[in-house]
Amino acid sequence: MTEWTTIREEHKIFEDEAVLALDKPVGVAVMGERHDTDLVSMARDAGEELFPAHRIDKVTSGVVLFAKQLRHHGDLTRQFNRRTVDKTYLALTRTHGIPAAATIDLPLSVGRKNRVRIAANRADIVTVTADAGPADAGPADAAGASTAAAAPGPEAAPWLWTVPAAKTFPHVRTYPSVTHLARLWEGTEHTLVAAHPVSGRRHQIRVHLAWVGHPIEGDPLFERAPTTRTFLHAWRLAFDAGWDGGRRMVVEAVPGPDFWRSLDGEDAAVATASLTGFNAPATF
């Protein structure tokens, strides 16, 4: 049995005549890996050609959608490009103070060493709430992330983290980026959020959360020599099946035990239970 056969059998969450959806394990790239194997190469070496409709980071687990035939690939990629695909991720932070509902509307740019960052200074990020109006995001913390969560109380809803247009860097190419958040559970040390990246830029959720003061635990972009996996998981994906009358399809990858390993048994049970019955809010 090849490595691809094992992954295909153990991580398949949906398959029909047109698509294959896998729950990608952490540490495996979708495609284009230079010095290691990736799913597309594994499949090809095993005699199966697959066409990825999108990508998720190597450090991220969860749903990845492949077209099994090239004639279905174009329609799927257009759906991602037109942002008609609904994507919901789960992120675990070792922080408190994330609002019950929030939106991060911060443009991205590419800085030194090809690192994705916000296209503005941290000090220029502001928070806005429906009941409290604008508030200063506050200074950066020791890790370089904004401590915006110290502004109005976390139950003030909805929150918006943004930056004035006049403060956006004029000398670099910028990419408008929006992420909606819903807090699912908060424990004594951790918070679990559902994140919906509207624009779907590279590293968007990871950078957005870090720059508003809530980096994802284990993220090597913002944590030196992490000792755990990155706790970001592609949970749900909804798309239109053009080959099946255009019906809306939803595929879901239930987080495995490794996603909860930072939590003790009781917290893990409560956090897991918070996923039951969750439906994306209207802002999603």
Side-chain angles (χ1 to χ4, degrees):
M1 181 178 290
T2 66
E3 184 177 11
W4 168 246
T5 302
T6 301
I7 289 178
R8 201 186 196 288
E9 290 185 358
E10 295 181 356
H11 294 270
K12 183 178 73 174
I13 52 180
F14 176 80
E15 183 175 12
D16 65 8
E17 72 277 10
V19 298
L20 170 68
L22 296 180
D23 179 2
K24 186 187 79 67
V26 167
V28 180
V30 176
M31 67 175 298
E33 190 71 2
R34 292 183 178 180
H35 306 297
D36 204 349
T37 55
D38 57 72
L39 293 178
V40 171
S41 296
M42 287 182 195
R44 184 180 61 246
D45 292 345
E48 182 175 11
E49 188 172 22
L50 293 173
F51 308 92
H54 65 122
R55 301 189 196 188
I56 61 175
D57 291 339
K58 184 175 181 178
V59 300
T60 304
S61 58
V63 180
V64 178
L65 185 66
F66 299 91
K68 295 168 63 176
Q69 300 176 45
L70 192 57
R71 63 191 178 96
H72 299 304
H73 182 252
D75 176 58
L76 291 171
T77 56
R78 281 190 292 272
Q79 291 183 54
F80 279 92
N81 292 335
R82 293 170 180 169
R83 301 175 186 173
T84 60
V85 176
D86 292 323
K87 298 165 286 185
T88 305
Y89 288 72
L90 297 174
L92 193 64
T93 74
R94 193 180 285 271
T95 64
H96 287 117
I98 297 177
T103 295
I104 304 174
D105 185 355
L106 295 172
L108 300 179
S109 65
V110 179
R112 290 179 295 179
K113 298 182 179 180
N114 202 35
R115 289 177 64 90
V116 179
R117 56 159 295 156
I118 301 301
N121 293 316
R122 293 184 178 91
D124 292 325
I125 297 175
V126 297
T127 58
V128 180
T129 66
D131 53 0
D136 189 349
D141 63 15
S146 166
T147 55
E155 299 308 323
W159 271 37
L160 171 66
W161 280 287
T162 189
V163 64
K167 298 293 186 178
T168 301
F169 291 156
H171 57 280
V172 297
R173 184 173 181 179
T174 62
Y175 304 89
S177 303
V178 176
T179 303
H180 297 307
L181 303 176
R183 190 187 68 227
L184 301 181
W185 167 83
E186 186 176 72
T188 56
E189 295 183 355
H190 294 83
T191 301
L192 177 68
V193 297
H196 170 56
V198 177
S199 34
R201 310 293 185 184
R202 181 167 67 101
H203 301 335
Q204 176 176 317
I205 297 173
R206 300 165 67 183
V207 173
H208 270 178
L209 281 170
W211 278 63
V212 300
H214 299 284
I216 298 168
E217 185 171 9
D219 188 346
L221 292 179
F222 300 99
E223 184 177 331
R224 292 183 179 179
T227 58
T228 66
R229 61 158 287 178
T230 301
F231 292 97
L232 181 64
H233 179 77
W235 183 25
R236 292 174 177 168
L237 199 67
F239 56 94
D240 296 327
W243 60 93
D244 191 14
R247 72 182 180 95
R248 193 71 168 172
M249 299 184 65
V250 179
V251 291
E252 177 177 315
V254 177
D258 67 314
F259 186 77
W260 310 109
R261 69 173 54 164
S262 280
L263 308 180
D264 62 30
E266 183 176 349
D267 279 352
V270 176
T272 301
S274 73
L275 305 183
T276 303
F278 171 77
N279 292 312
T283 53
F284 273 41

